[in-house]
Amino acid sequence: MRSGSSELLLEQQQQELRLRKIRELAPKKKNGNRRFRSWRERARFYGTSTLAFFSVTAGASLLFLVPLYVDPAISTLSHDFIENPTLCTTTRREDLVGIFNCSWSSCREGCTSDLYRCVHIYVTFIEQNITIPENMTDFSNYTADWEQSGEATLLVNIKGCGYPPTVTCKTFNDYYGADGAIYPCYYSRKNKTVVLTSYSHDDQVAVIINFFAVPFVITVISSIALCIMHCDCRCKKDRSHRRNRPQCRRPRIENLSDTSISTRVDMLTPAIEVYKPPL
């Protein structure tokens, strides 16, 4: 009986030792050593993440918005188109093939692809200031009394290109490319050979504000905020000139040269010889 009980005790002790070793070898839980952040640290972390997101997103969007929207809007405003529409008449249409023949096109879908097929639409317009009656569809009798200008090129916009569904070149060429077609248009005061089918000064200004000014301001403000939060952007005064200021103290007697001392002694000797104390 004693031997059986002793064996049981040994087995229990061995099991306890095994359990202890397993616990020691087992990886410790990370939650026990977890450091809790204060509300200031959390606010700083989330604020930094938000500002960095807005700064990167707004800055990257400028790379796409400037060439696609901002640059055409600035070019349109620089041409100084008339604000009130006049009437244009299509004189001829040319359908050309080949890279050398297609240096430009009245309308093309896609502004980055090479031109192998293009359509040239030429028009004449009324240069005088006219008022087009509302709800007027037949302009043939209206344009007969006005003098027409020289031949100009008709464009869907200042770049002559676009993307569906805003620009559909098949519909544009079929409607405006018909010989003798009359329709409202806008010509440039600086270059009267450029004519557009639609123009609005306020719309072009709105494009510049929404697609350039707003992302640019967001990028600048978020970048400044990140600099203030994580960098020392304060201007420090330069005090180096004080340290390098020359000393204006008088030289002490010890610093005087031997020649200056000898000259002073020579000047005092006559006075000593003249003065003789009474006997």
Side-chain angles (χ1 to χ4, degrees), residues 133-161:
E134 296 181 358
N135 300 326
M136 188 175 182
T137 57
D138 187 9
F139 302 102
S140 58
N141 297 327
Y142 190 79
T143 57
D145 300 332
W146 298 93
E147 183 180 356
Q148 299 291 324
S149 66
E151 201 171 54
T153 57
L154 182 68
L155 302 176
V156 66
N157 51 38
I158 196 63
K159 296 294 183 180
C161 60

Short mmCIF file of all heavy atoms in Angstrom, two decimals, residues 133-161:
data_model
loop_
_atom_site.label_atom_id
_atom_site.label_comp_id
_atom_site.label_asym_id
_atom_site.label_seq_id
_atom_site.Cartn_x
_atom_site.Cartn_y
_atom_site.Cartn_z
N PRO A 133 -34.04 85.73 -81.18
CA PRO A 133 -35.34 85.55 -80.52
C PRO A 133 -35.46 84.18 -79.85
O PRO A 133 -34.90 83.19 -80.33
CB PRO A 133 -36.36 85.70 -81.66
CG PRO A 133 -35.61 86.41 -82.73
CD PRO A 133 -34.18 85.98 -82.61
N GLU A 134 -36.14 84.15 -78.72
CA GLU A 134 -36.33 82.89 -78.02
C GLU A 134 -37.30 81.99 -78.78
O GLU A 134 -38.18 82.46 -79.51
CB GLU A 134 -36.88 83.16 -76.61
CG GLU A 134 -35.90 83.94 -75.72
CD GLU A 134 -36.45 84.15 -74.33
OE1 GLU A 134 -37.61 83.71 -74.08
OE2 GLU A 134 -35.75 84.75 -73.49
N ASN A 135 -37.11 80.69 -78.61
CA ASN A 135 -37.96 79.66 -79.23
C ASN A 135 -37.94 79.76 -80.76
O ASN A 135 -38.92 79.42 -81.44
CB ASN A 135 -39.41 79.75 -78.73
CG ASN A 135 -39.49 79.55 -77.22
OD1 ASN A 135 -38.72 78.78 -76.65
ND2 ASN A 135 -40.41 80.27 -76.58
N MET A 136 -36.82 80.22 -81.30
CA MET A 136 -36.69 80.34 -82.76
C MET A 136 -35.91 79.14 -83.28
O MET A 136 -34.82 78.84 -82.79
CB MET A 136 -35.96 81.64 -83.11
CG MET A 136 -35.94 81.94 -84.60
SD MET A 136 -35.18 83.55 -84.95
CE MET A 136 -35.36 83.61 -86.72
N THR A 137 -36.45 78.42 -84.23
CA THR A 137 -35.82 77.22 -84.76
C THR A 137 -35.32 77.40 -86.20
O THR A 137 -34.32 76.81 -86.59
CB THR A 137 -36.80 76.05 -84.72
OG1 THR A 137 -37.99 76.40 -85.45
CG2 THR A 137 -37.18 75.70 -83.28
N ASP A 138 -36.01 78.21 -86.98
CA ASP A 138 -35.62 78.43 -88.38
C ASP A 138 -34.87 79.75 -88.47
O ASP A 138 -35.47 80.82 -88.32
CB ASP A 138 -36.86 78.45 -89.28
CG ASP A 138 -36.48 78.51 -90.75
OD1 ASP A 138 -35.27 78.35 -91.05
OD2 ASP A 138 -37.38 78.69 -91.58
N PHE A 139 -33.54 79.65 -88.71
CA PHE A 139 -32.72 80.87 -88.76
C PHE A 139 -32.36 81.26 -90.18
O PHE A 139 -31.57 82.19 -90.38
CB PHE A 139 -31.40 80.63 -87.98
CG PHE A 139 -31.61 80.26 -86.55
CD1 PHE A 139 -31.48 78.93 -86.14
CD2 PHE A 139 -31.94 81.21 -85.61
CE1 PHE A 139 -31.64 78.58 -84.82
CE2 PHE A 139 -32.11 80.86 -84.28
CZ PHE A 139 -31.96 79.54 -83.88
N SER A 140 -32.91 80.61 -91.19
CA SER A 140 -32.51 80.87 -92.58
C SER A 140 -32.90 82.28 -93.01
O SER A 140 -32.11 83.00 -93.63
CB SER A 140 -33.13 79.83 -93.51
OG SER A 140 -34.55 79.84 -93.39
N ASN A 141 -34.11 82.70 -92.70
CA ASN A 141 -34.56 84.04 -93.08
C ASN A 141 -33.92 85.11 -92.21
O ASN A 141 -33.79 86.26 -92.62
CB ASN A 141 -36.08 84.13 -92.97
CG ASN A 141 -36.78 83.19 -93.94
OD1 ASN A 141 -36.27 82.93 -95.04
ND2 ASN A 141 -37.93 82.65 -93.54
N TYR A 142 -33.49 84.73 -91.00
CA TYR A 142 -32.94 85.72 -90.07
C TYR A 142 -31.51 86.09 -90.45
O TYR A 142 -31.08 87.23 -90.25
CB TYR A 142 -32.99 85.17 -88.65
CG TYR A 142 -32.66 86.18 -87.59
CD1 TYR A 142 -33.60 87.12 -87.18
CD2 TYR A 142 -31.40 86.20 -86.99
CE1 TYR A 142 -33.29 88.05 -86.20
CE2 TYR A 142 -31.09 87.12 -86.02
CZ TYR A 142 -32.04 88.06 -85.63
OH TYR A 142 -31.74 88.98 -84.66
N THR A 143 -30.72 85.15 -90.97
CA THR A 143 -29.33 85.41 -91.30
C THR A 143 -29.14 86.04 -92.67
O THR A 143 -28.03 86.47 -93.00
CB THR A 143 -28.53 84.09 -91.25
OG1 THR A 143 -29.13 83.16 -92.16
CG2 THR A 143 -28.52 83.52 -89.85
N ALA A 144 -30.18 86.10 -93.46
CA ALA A 144 -30.03 86.63 -94.83
C ALA A 144 -29.73 88.12 -94.84
O ALA A 144 -29.11 88.63 -95.78
CB ALA A 144 -31.29 86.34 -95.64
N ASP A 145 -30.17 88.84 -93.81
CA ASP A 145 -30.00 90.29 -93.78
C ASP A 145 -28.68 90.72 -93.16
O ASP A 145 -28.42 91.93 -93.09
CB ASP A 145 -31.16 90.93 -93.00
CG ASP A 145 -32.51 90.62 -93.64
OD1 ASP A 145 -32.52 90.41 -94.87
OD2 ASP A 145 -33.51 90.59 -92.90
N TRP A 146 -27.86 89.80 -92.70
CA TRP A 146 -26.62 90.15 -92.00
C TRP A 146 -25.41 89.72 -92.82
O TRP A 146 -25.44 88.73 -93.54
CB TRP A 146 -26.57 89.48 -90.62
CG TRP A 146 -27.67 89.92 -89.70
CD1 TRP A 146 -28.86 89.31 -89.51
CD2 TRP A 146 -27.66 91.07 -88.84
NE1 TRP A 146 -29.62 90.00 -88.59
CE2 TRP A 146 -28.90 91.09 -88.16
CE3 TRP A 146 -26.74 92.08 -88.59
CZ2 TRP A 146 -29.23 92.08 -87.25
CZ3 TRP A 146 -27.08 93.08 -87.68
CH2 TRP A 146 -28.30 93.07 -87.01
N GLU A 147 -24.34 90.49 -92.64
CA GLU A 147 -23.09 90.18 -93.35
C GLU A 147 -22.35 89.09 -92.61
O GLU A 147 -22.21 89.11 -91.39
CB GLU A 147 -22.23 91.44 -93.43
CG GLU A 147 -20.94 91.26 -94.21
CD GLU A 147 -20.12 92.53 -94.27
OE1 GLU A 147 -20.62 93.56 -93.76
OE2 GLU A 147 -19.00 92.48 -94.81
N GLN A 148 -21.83 88.14 -93.37
CA GLN A 148 -21.12 87.01 -92.79
C GLN A 148 -19.62 87.31 -92.72
O GLN A 148 -19.08 88.08 -93.50
CB GLN A 148 -21.35 85.75 -93.63
CG GLN A 148 -22.81 85.32 -93.72
CD GLN A 148 -23.32 84.80 -92.39
OE1 GLN A 148 -22.59 84.15 -91.64
NE2 GLN A 148 -24.58 85.06 -92.10
N SER A 149 -18.97 86.67 -91.74
CA SER A 149 -17.53 86.85 -91.54
C SER A 149 -16.75 85.89 -92.45
O SER A 149 -17.32 85.17 -93.27
CB SER A 149 -17.16 86.57 -90.08
OG SER A 149 -17.40 85.21 -89.78
N GLY A 150 -15.42 85.89 -92.24
CA GLY A 150 -14.59 84.94 -92.96
C GLY A 150 -14.75 83.53 -92.40
O GLY A 150 -15.40 83.31 -91.38
N GLU A 151 -14.13 82.58 -93.08
CA GLU A 151 -14.29 81.19 -92.68
C GLU A 151 -13.50 80.92 -91.39
O GLU A 151 -12.37 81.37 -91.22
CB GLU A 151 -13.80 80.28 -93.79
CG GLU A 151 -14.34 78.88 -93.71
CD GLU A 151 -14.01 78.08 -94.95
OE1 GLU A 151 -12.81 78.01 -95.30
OE2 GLU A 151 -14.93 77.51 -95.58
N ALA A 152 -14.13 80.16 -90.50
CA ALA A 152 -13.53 79.81 -89.21
C ALA A 152 -13.76 78.33 -88.96
O ALA A 152 -14.55 77.66 -89.65
CB ALA A 152 -14.12 80.64 -88.08
N THR A 153 -13.06 77.80 -87.96
CA THR A 153 -13.17 76.38 -87.60
C THR A 153 -14.11 76.23 -86.42
O THR A 153 -14.06 77.01 -85.46
CB THR A 153 -11.80 75.80 -87.24
OG1 THR A 153 -11.22 76.56 -86.17
CG2 THR A 153 -10.88 75.85 -88.44
N LEU A 154 -14.94 75.22 -86.46
CA LEU A 154 -15.89 74.94 -85.38
C LEU A 154 -15.34 73.82 -84.50
O LEU A 154 -14.92 72.77 -84.99
CB LEU A 154 -17.24 74.54 -85.96
CG LEU A 154 -18.35 74.26 -84.94
CD1 LEU A 154 -18.77 75.54 -84.23
CD2 LEU A 154 -19.56 73.62 -85.62
N LEU A 155 -15.35 74.04 -83.16
CA LEU A 155 -14.85 73.07 -82.20
C LEU A 155 -15.93 72.77 -81.17
O LEU A 155 -16.74 73.63 -80.83
CB LEU A 155 -13.59 73.60 -81.50
CG LEU A 155 -12.39 73.96 -82.38
CD1 LEU A 155 -11.28 74.57 -81.54
CD2 LEU A 155 -11.89 72.76 -83.15
N VAL A 156 -15.89 71.53 -80.67
CA VAL A 156 -16.84 71.16 -79.64
C VAL A 156 -16.49 71.84 -78.32
O VAL A 156 -17.36 72.13 -77.51
CB VAL A 156 -16.89 69.62 -79.49
CG1 VAL A 156 -15.55 69.09 -78.98
CG2 VAL A 156 -18.02 69.19 -78.57
N ASN A 157 -15.20 72.07 -78.08
CA ASN A 157 -14.70 72.86 -76.96
C ASN A 157 -13.32 73.38 -77.35
O ASN A 157 -12.86 73.17 -78.46
CB ASN A 157 -14.66 72.06 -75.65
CG ASN A 157 -13.94 70.73 -75.80
OD1 ASN A 157 -12.94 70.62 -76.49
ND2 ASN A 157 -14.48 69.69 -75.16
N ILE A 158 -12.64 74.06 -76.43
CA ILE A 158 -11.38 74.69 -76.78
C ILE A 158 -10.31 73.68 -77.16
O ILE A 158 -9.41 73.97 -77.94
CB ILE A 158 -10.90 75.58 -75.62
CG1 ILE A 158 -9.81 76.55 -76.09
CG2 ILE A 158 -10.43 74.73 -74.46
CD1 ILE A 158 -10.27 77.53 -77.12
N LYS A 159 -10.38 72.45 -76.63
CA LYS A 159 -9.43 71.41 -76.98
C LYS A 159 -9.88 70.56 -78.16
O LYS A 159 -9.08 69.80 -78.71
CB LYS A 159 -9.19 70.49 -75.77
CG LYS A 159 -8.56 71.18 -74.58
CD LYS A 159 -7.15 71.64 -74.87
CE LYS A 159 -6.49 72.27 -73.66
NZ LYS A 159 -5.11 72.72 -73.94
N GLY A 160 -11.14 70.66 -78.53
CA GLY A 160 -11.65 69.86 -79.63
C GLY A 160 -11.79 68.39 -79.32
O GLY A 160 -11.82 67.55 -80.23
N CYS A 161 -11.88 68.04 -78.03
CA CYS A 161 -11.99 66.63 -77.65
C CYS A 161 -12.75 66.53 -76.34
O CYS A 161 -12.93 67.53 -75.62
CB CYS A 161 -10.60 65.99 -77.49
SG CYS A 161 -9.57 66.77 -76.25
#
